[in-house]
């Protein structure tokens, strides 16, 4: 029992250390890192208007039958024998003006006191860089997604020869990952 | 608004590079046949600079901590390339090459395959942070005409913390417990932690972690 308690203490210490590091990492993230958005983030909404009704029905069935708790991204980008889900993305730089000043990077400041100063620093950084960000956005070339490649549905994968049920790869697909393609356009300021 | 068709592909091996593409392959730390490959149509894009990212280097910041060093040494890599759109030769002749690169349109594009284990969001968070940092660094160096694109297998679902971090640079409170659980997340150890008043708060969060299975 004593050994288990010692191990538990060690693991708890590690968990607290890990949490402190996460807090530290997040403190500067919003001011220091670029804002990205997924090219497929509105795929399921757009597909409803763009794809044939049969495909949309299959897509909706996939959304309901799979374990995905999200909307927008495709229900899956990998379709292996043991697991399927969306884990592949094309992320493009998003407009910095989309920042919401009310957001804080530090979530559990009541449990890690050391992170309070980091949270304050993050808020201060955010306020100070707000104007710089707006100015930066106005002079930067940006990208917009004009088209994305349709991703297969379960029905499509099942119909492909050589696979085992929903399993990829098969005779048509050389990988258990789908191919994601986005057509991007530059927008000059 | 100007439009240009970008042709960039990412893949995991370097065996299938089609004709007309230029490709770069970066092997995982430790070798083997796994790695990342980035290919682009050479008639459309031209390499300006690149940075190979070895995520194992993250562990160097935590040399004093054996468990962090171990957790962060997973062999994953990323490629970050600045590619400029190929323009007719006459357009660049009036400028020095370096200036021409910065004033031309281009992209800073990355390809990566982050650590796969679903229990290690902590590792993927550090890897994602490093990736975005390098992207930003290269993009800043290249100037305002090089927007950023990040491709890859992030081993993160859209309802999870890493996707949220990549797209919002924050972590939702509900996701914080995912960063607490030690790699050997046995339920017996969790129950011991939960009985200790001194660490009850962290212990409670660890217990919540099991609901994310």
């Amino acid at each position: 029992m004593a050994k288990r308690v010692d191990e538990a203490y060690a693991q708890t210490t590690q968990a607290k250390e890990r949490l402190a590091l996460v807090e530290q990492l997040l403190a500067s993230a919003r001011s220091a890192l670029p804002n990205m958005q997924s090219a497929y983030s509105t795929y399921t909404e757009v597909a409803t208007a763009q794809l044939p009704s049969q495909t949309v029905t299959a897509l909706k069935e996939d959304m309901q039958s799979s374990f995905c708790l999200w909307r927008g991204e495709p229900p899956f980008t990998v379709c292996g024998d043991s697991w399927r889900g969306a884990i592949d993305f094309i992320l493009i730089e998003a407009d910095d003006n989309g920042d919401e000043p009310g957001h804080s990077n530090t979530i559990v400041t009541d449990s890690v006191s050391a992170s309070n100063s980091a949270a304050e620093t993050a808020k201060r950084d955010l306020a100070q860089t707000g104007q710089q960000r707006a100015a930066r956005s106005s002079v930067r070339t940006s990208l917009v997604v004009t088209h994305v490649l349709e991703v297969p549905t379960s029905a499509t994968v099942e119909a492909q020869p050589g696979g085992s049920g929903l399993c990829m790869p098969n005779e048509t697909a050389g990988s258990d990952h789908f191919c994601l393609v986005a057509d991007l356009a530059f927008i000059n300021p | 608004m100007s439009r240009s068709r970008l042709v960039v592909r990412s893949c995991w091996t370097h065996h299938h590079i089609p004709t007309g593409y230029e490709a770069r392959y970066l092997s995982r730390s430790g070798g083997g046949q796994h790695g990342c490959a980035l290919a682009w149509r050479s008639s459309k894009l031209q390499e300006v600079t690149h940075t190979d990212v070895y995520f194992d280097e993250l562990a160097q910041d935590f040399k004093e901590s054996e468990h962090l060093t171990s957790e962060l040494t997973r062999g994953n890599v990323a490629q970050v390339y600045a590619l400029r759109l190929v323009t007719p030769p006459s357009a660049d002749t009036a400028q020095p090459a370096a200036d021409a690169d910065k004033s031309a349109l281009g992209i800073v594009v990355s390809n990566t395959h982050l650590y796969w284990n679903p229990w290690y969001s902590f590792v993927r968070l550090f890897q994602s942070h490093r990736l975005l940092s390098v992207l930003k660094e290269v993009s800043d160096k290249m100037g305002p005409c090089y927007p950023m694109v990040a491709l890859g297998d992030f081993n993160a679902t859209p309802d999870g913390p890493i996707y949220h971090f990549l797209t919002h640079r924050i972590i939702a409170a509900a996701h914080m417990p995912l960063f607490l659980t030690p790699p050997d997340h046995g339920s017996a150890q969790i129950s011991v932690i939960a009985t200790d008043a001194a660490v009850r708060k962290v212990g409670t969060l660890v217990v919540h972690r099991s609901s994310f299975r």
Side-chain angles (χ1 to χ4, degrees), chain B residues 165-198:
Chain B
F165 176 74
L166 287 164
T167 55
H168 294 84
R169 296 164 294 175
I170 56 170
I171 299 292
H175 288 142
M176 288 306 280
L178 292 167
F179 299 102
L180 292 173
T181 309
D184 46 349
H185 42 271
S187 57
Q189 288 159 336
I190 287 172
S191 66
V192 171
I193 292 171
T195 59
D196 188 314

Side-chain angles (χ1 to χ4, degrees), chain A residues 9 11 15 17-18 30 33 36 73 87-89 91 93 99 105 107 110 136 140-141 177 183-184 186, chain B residues 2 5 67 71 122 139-140 144 146 148 150 152-154 156 163 168-171 173 179-180 184 196:
Chain A
Y9 259 119
Q11 291 197 343
E17 184 186 3
R18 211 177 276 117
R30 268 185 91 74
L33 299 181
M36 308 297 281
E73 295 285 347
I87 55 173
D88 304 283
F89 307 105
L91 303 172
E93 184 179 347
D99 280 351
N105 293 316
I107 311 301
D110 56 342
R136 185 170 181 264
R140 276 186 74 77
T141 299
H177 290 255
D183 224 1
L184 306 176
F186 284 107
Chain B
S2 67
R5 179 70 60 89
H67 76 95
E71 284 181 29
F122 177 77
S139 178
D140 284 349
Y146 283 72
M148 291 167 267
D153 178 350
F154 294 86
Y163 180 90
H168 294 84
R169 296 164 294 175
I170 56 170
I171 299 292
F179 299 102
L180 292 173
D184 46 349
D196 188 314

Side-chain angles (χ1 to χ4, degrees), chain B:
Chain B
M1 181 170 126
S2 67
R3 290 196 59 193
S4 297
R5 179 70 60 89
L6 299 177
V7 189
V8 180
R9 291 180 173 197
S10 70
C11 48
W12 309 133
T13 68
H14 58 302
H15 299 305
H16 306 291
I17 304 302
T19 308
Y21 282 78
E22 198 164 336
R24 299 287 184 274
Y25 175 73
L26 180 64
S27 178
R28 281 170 58 91
S29 303
Q33 289 198 334
H34 292 87
C36 293
L38 197 60
W40 58 89
R41 188 170 285 176
S42 46
S43 61
K44 301 279 186 185
L45 295 161
Q46 189 176 42
E47 178 186 340
V48 180
T49 182
H50 80 273
T51 304
D52 292 334
V53 182
Y54 295 92
F55 291 120
D56 284 2
E57 290 174 2
L58 289 165
Q60 290 176 1
D61 295 337
F62 306 103
K63 280 178 182 170
E64 72 287 353
S65 171
E66 194 178 328
H67 76 95
L68 284 177
T69 303
S70 165
E71 284 181 29
L72 292 169
T73 307
R74 299 293 168 182
N76 304 94
V77 294
Q79 304 165 287
V80 180
Y81 277 76
L83 304 173
R84 58 170 287 188
L85 292 183
V86 173
T87 51
S90 57
D92 289 340
T93 48
Q95 299 180 57
D99 292 342
D101 283 340
K102 289 191 175 181
S103 60
L105 270 182
I107 54 168
V108 175
V109 60
S110 69
N111 183 28
T112 192
H113 187 185
L114 301 187
Y115 186 50
W116 68 273
N117 191 324
W119 294 100
Y120 284 73
S121 291
F122 177 77
V123 176
R124 278 188 295 281
L125 178 66
F126 269 75
Q127 293 178 339
S128 304
H129 189 280
R130 173 61 62 90
L131 176 65
L132 292 182
S133 298
V134 176
L135 262 175
K136 173 81 163 33
E137 196 179 300
V138 176
S139 178
D140 284 349
K141 205 178 291 178
M142 293 310 302
C145 300
Y146 283 72
M148 291 167 267
V149 180
L151 315 169
D153 178 350
F154 294 86
N155 273 313
T157 53
D159 55 337
I162 303 306
Y163 180 90
H164 202 67
F165 176 74
L166 287 164
T167 55
H168 294 84
R169 296 164 294 175
I170 56 170
I171 299 292
H175 288 142
M176 288 306 280
L178 292 167
F179 299 102
L180 292 173
T181 309
D184 46 349
H185 42 271
S187 57
Q189 288 159 336
I190 287 172
S191 66
V192 171
I193 292 171
T195 59
D196 188 314
V199 291
R200 184 165 292 158
K201 191 144 198 168
V202 174
T204 306
L205 288 169
V206 175
V207 173
H208 288 170
R209 174 68 173 83
S210 61
S211 68
F212 281 82
R213 277 176 189 269

Side-chain angles (χ1 to χ4, degrees), chain A residues 151-173:
Chain A
V151 294
T153 61
S154 295
T156 317
V157 176
E158 278 177 332
Q160 291 171 347
S164 168
L166 276 176
C167 175
M168 291 168 67
N170 53 36
E171 288 179 15
T172 306

Side-chain angles (χ1 to χ4, degrees), chain A:
Chain A
M1 182 63 183
K3 189 182 175 189
R4 285 180 64 197
V5 170
D6 286 347
E7 285 174 357
Y9 259 119
Q11 291 197 343
T12 305
T13 305
Q14 289 176 11
K16 289 171 81 174
E17 184 186 3
R18 211 177 276 117
L19 180 62
L21 288 170
V22 169
E23 297 270 345
Q24 198 180 334
L25 205 69
L26 295 176
S28 61
R30 268 185 91 74
S31 58
L33 299 181
N35 198 20
M36 308 297 281
Q37 69 179 48
S38 168
Y40 276 81
S41 62
T42 56
Y43 176 77
T44 55
E45 287 92 341
V46 174
T48 308
Q50 300 287 331
L51 296 176
S53 60
Q54 194 179 349
T55 309
V56 172
T57 304
L59 183 65
K60 285 181 176 173
E61 283 173 5
D62 281 347
M63 296 295 289
Q64 286 168 1
S65 64
S66 61
F67 290 107
C68 65
L69 300 172
W70 59 87
R71 291 292 180 271
E73 295 285 347
F76 39 86
T77 63
V78 59
C79 200
D81 55 353
S82 58
W83 188 83
R84 59 179 182 160
I87 55 173
D88 304 283
F89 307 105
I90 296 173
L91 303 172
I92 62 171
E93 184 179 347
D95 190 345
D96 266 343
N97 291 327
D99 280 351
E100 296 168 30
H103 273 146
S104 167
N105 293 316
T106 307
I107 311 301
V108 284
T109 51
D110 56 342
S111 65
V112 182
S113 57
S115 66
N116 286 336
S117 60
E120 289 306 314
T121 305
K123 286 175 186 171
R124 201 166 50 243
D125 285 351
L126 194 61
Q128 285 173 350
T129 56
Q131 285 185 323
Q132 293 169 9
R133 283 179 169 281
R136 185 170 181 264
S137 296
S138 68
V139 298
R140 276 186 74 77
T141 299
S142 54
L143 293 169
V144 290
V145 181
T146 57
H147 301 85
V148 293
L149 184 70
E150 182 185 339
V151 294
T153 61
S154 295
T156 317
V157 176
E158 278 177 332
Q160 291 171 347
S164 168
L166 276 176
C167 175
M168 291 168 67
N170 53 36
E171 288 179 15
T172 306
S175 166
D176 57 346
H177 290 255
F178 295 152
C179 184
L180 301 181
V181 177
D183 224 1
L184 306 176
F186 284 107
I187 299 182
N188 291 325

